[in-house]
Amino acid sequence: MSRAIPRLVVAGTASGVGKTTATVAIARALRARGLQVALFKCGPDYLDPTYHARAVAGTSHNLDGWMMGREAVLSTFAAETAGADVALIEGVMGLFDGASPTGEEGSTAEIAKWLEAPVALVVDASGMARSVAALVQGFAGFDPALRVAAVVCNQVGSRGHLDILRQAQAQVNRSLPVLGGLPRDEAQRFPERHLGLRTADEAALPEERLDHWGAQAEAWIGLDALLEIARAAPPLPAAGAAATPGAATAGAQRGRARIGLAFDEAFHFYYADNLRRLEAAGAELVRFSPIHDARLPDVDALYLGGGYPEVHAERLAANAALRGEIRAFAGRGGPIYAECGGLMYLTEAIRTLDGRAHPMVGLVPAEAAMCEKLQALGYVEVETQARTLLGGAGLRFRGHQFRYSELRPSQRAVPVEPSAAPAPAEQPPSPSTQAPLPIEHAYSVRRRRGGQVSREGYRTASVLASYVHAHWASNPLVPEGLVASAAAHRKERAR
């Protein structure tokens, strides 16, 4: 059985050419026409989907070929396009850039081919005229199995400039037209931070700016022609249900455990697919704020995702009550899983670029120090070296790293070899006591590029923290293991 899903990949010639602006503008304009738009982001990025979500008041899902695999990509796409009139898939980096310099693994092109989706190529046309045709022809002819169906020019200087670009491309290939563009508008640019775009909260991205770009797309881009291209995409075969758990699975197990999800200005990097898998395994997700809340909610485990704790370090440090609550939760044996920014929060302090050390929770005997230069970037594969709150030893899953901080162990850190079972829970010593705190490296982490292996995954009693942003489509046993640990702690609490 197959299903017709109108769809279009919005790809770029490189990073920074305006893929997110074009995707948001087109999505906003289509929504204004009354269409239901499903949005997706190729690759591991957390920030671009926040812009997508604001554009259509919905959820955007990541599609990553290397971390998820083909089956999970197809099933996620099928599940999240149910009821949609059209799907837009924003690419990552340049169209053919991915996990390897010699293959398409992890690239936008790989996802487009899996989805049998036509591609609209976004070109930064500033300072360009006839050369646009040479650039487009190179991309269009690079992979005959991929259909580049339209061109959208960004940073256009004027209507006259856009006409020149159209004529140049039409003279070379009329079947691959420039279907419009977006004018240069520095005042309406999306704000940036060291990870690229800033999170699209109301302060960074007011509704008026979204409406502005939607209106620009309606005025400058041939939306009817783009929709015609999207609707011409062939029907997709039905995806397997096993790769993406749905509402029926979640209903059968609902109520196994409650997991506290750190979610506020400092912590918000979560894959929607990961959260759905926790719910399908029976977890109820309860949001709390390490910045604003003085008490933890009544939960059986904590999940601290990534974000910008360094930006909000002073406010996190000021909330001593919540930091104490988390230490006490760990002391009662409560499972705590943390990724990247969550790991930084669990250390003794975050040292910001101005040299100031801001006290944090103190469950990991180290300091997270911000650096001027990027400290890690790229895909990784993890193998657990001992039983953790995610499951038994030998568990493998994939993820990625992107960080500007490094971990500096404190004097009270006592490295120990991974043990067969987690250490029994006990009240963690306060960082101010300088009492020794044993810590295990429970992960073996292999880099996708280069193959270097390092030890990571910081475990102390019921805590597991890492710089790795994991995608659990790579191993569905991981979210099941986390929920099982939370459910076991619930039973312990009930005794």
Side-chain angles (χ1 to χ4, degrees):
M1 182 178 178
S2 59
R3 183 163 70 98
I5 307 171
R7 57 198 181 276
L8 184 71
V9 170
V10 182
T13 56
S15 294
V17 298
K19 296 186 299 294
T20 302
T21 303
T23 302
V24 166
I26 294 169
R28 191 73 168 187
L30 295 179
R31 183 171 181 260
R33 290 185 173 193
L35 298 179
Q36 290 289 326
V37 184
L39 283 169
F40 301 86
K41 171 67 181 180
C42 295
D45 186 89
Y46 286 107
L47 295 176
D48 292 351
T50 68
Y51 286 76
H52 297 177
R54 289 288 311 284
V56 298
T59 301
S60 176
H61 289 260
N62 292 76
L63 302 175
D64 190 290
W66 191 81
M67 291 197 301
M68 298 174 66
R70 185 176 186 273
E71 183 182 358
V73 165
L74 291 175
S75 59
T76 296
F77 184 78
E80 301 308 323
T81 52
D85 297 306
V86 63
L88 299 179
I89 306 100
E90 181 188 347
V92 57
M93 300 185 290
L95 174 57
F96 300 104
D97 302 322
S100 168
T102 59
E104 67 182 14
E105 189 177 29
S107 69
T108 303
E110 178 182 58
I111 298 296
K113 288 160 77 170
W114 286 353
L115 296 177
E116 300 181 58
V119 174
L121 186 67
V122 178
V123 176
D124 182 347
S126 57
M128 188 179 291
R130 188 177 182 225
S131 296
V132 71
L135 181 64
V136 170
Q137 289 309 107
F139 273 82
F142 186 79
D143 184 350
L146 187 70
R147 183 190 174 210
V148 179
V151 180
V152 174
C153 294
N154 192 30
Q155 300 285 355
V156 174
S158 64
R159 291 280 183 182
H161 183 202
L162 183 58
D163 286 340
I164 290 172
L165 297 167
R166 279 199 177 105
Q167 292 172 33
Q169 176 59 23
Q171 191 270 335
V172 175
N173 186 349
R174 289 186 176 275
S175 64
L176 175 49
V178 172
L179 290 182
L182 291 172
R184 186 181 302 116
D185 192 341
E186 293 297 321
Q188 297 293 337
R189 286 186 65 174
F190 295 155
E192 296 185 359
R193 187 172 280 148
H194 63 251
L195 296 180
L197 296 176
R198 281 183 58 188
T199 303
D201 55 26
E202 289 280 355
L205 188 65
E207 284 291 312
E208 293 78 11
R209 187 166 298 177
L210 291 167
D211 290 337
H212 166 82
W213 284 113
Q216 293 289 69
E218 185 65 57
W220 283 74
I221 297 176
L223 297 180
D224 291 334
L226 282 181
L227 282 172
E228 184 177 348
I229 291 170
R231 288 166 178 158
L236 283 175
T244 305
T249 308
Q253 302 193 72
R254 186 174 291 121
R256 286 179 68 195
R258 287 162 54 91
I259 296 179
L261 190 75
F263 204 98
D264 58 16
E265 303 94 309
F267 305 99
H268 43 260
F269 289 177
Y270 299 96
Y271 290 125
D273 188 79
N274 282 2
L275 301 184
R276 182 176 54 189
R277 289 174 186 276
L278 290 174
E279 292 174 330
E284 177 188 353
L285 302 180
V286 183
R287 291 187 179 187
F288 70 98
S289 169
I291 291 178
H292 302 289
D293 295 340
R295 301 287 303 273
L296 281 175
D298 181 20
V299 293
D300 309 301
L302 299 179
Y303 181 4
L304 308 171
Y308 294 117
E310 72 279 8
V311 175
H312 303 281
E314 190 168 348
R315 299 168 73 192
L316 291 168
N319 193 352
L322 199 281
R323 290 189 287 117
E325 286 266 308
I326 293 176
R327 279 197 301 272
F329 182 83
R332 296 191 297 269
I336 302 177
Y337 174 73
E339 293 182 345
C340 201
L343 162 64
M344 295 169 67
Y345 181 57
L346 293 183
T347 64
E348 296 172 359
I350 293 177
R351 188 171 295 276
T352 47
L353 289 175
D354 59 8
R356 297 169 60 197
H358 304 270
M360 294 292 138
V361 177
L363 291 175
V364 176
E367 176 183 89
M370 295 303 298
C371 304
E372 293 282 358
K373 295 183 178 179
L374 190 66
Q375 297 300 297
L377 169 66
Y379 289 120
V380 296
E381 187 163 23
V382 173
E383 181 176 0
T384 58
Q385 302 300 295
R387 171 167 289 278
T388 70
L389 53 84
L390 301 179
L395 200 64
R396 291 187 178 184
F397 56 89
R398 291 180 169 185
H400 75 102
Q401 292 190 352
F402 193 151
R403 57 182 170 88
Y404 278 79
S405 70
E406 64 177 7
L407 221 57
R408 299 172 181 172
S410 69
Q411 292 184 346
R412 70 190 191 114
V414 181
V416 295
E417 286 299 313
S419 56
E426 57 183 31
Q427 184 66 37
S430 170
S432 61
T433 67
Q434 292 301 307
L437 182 58
I439 186 166
E440 300 176 3
H441 291 131
Y443 288 175
S444 172
V445 179
R446 181 178 62 84
R447 293 181 60 184
R448 165 64 180 77
R449 183 170 296 176
Q452 298 94 332
V453 177
S454 60
R455 297 296 297 274
E456 217 245 31
Y458 307 97
R459 187 179 74 169
T460 60
S462 60
V463 175
L464 180 63
S466 169
Y467 268 124
V468 176
H469 295 282
H471 200 299
W472 296 334
S474 61
N475 190 339
L477 294 177
V478 175
E480 169 60 35
L482 180 55
V483 175
S485 292
H489 182 58
R490 167 180 276 196
K491 291 181 180 178
E492 289 291 328
R493 294 171 62 204
R495 289 183 179 176

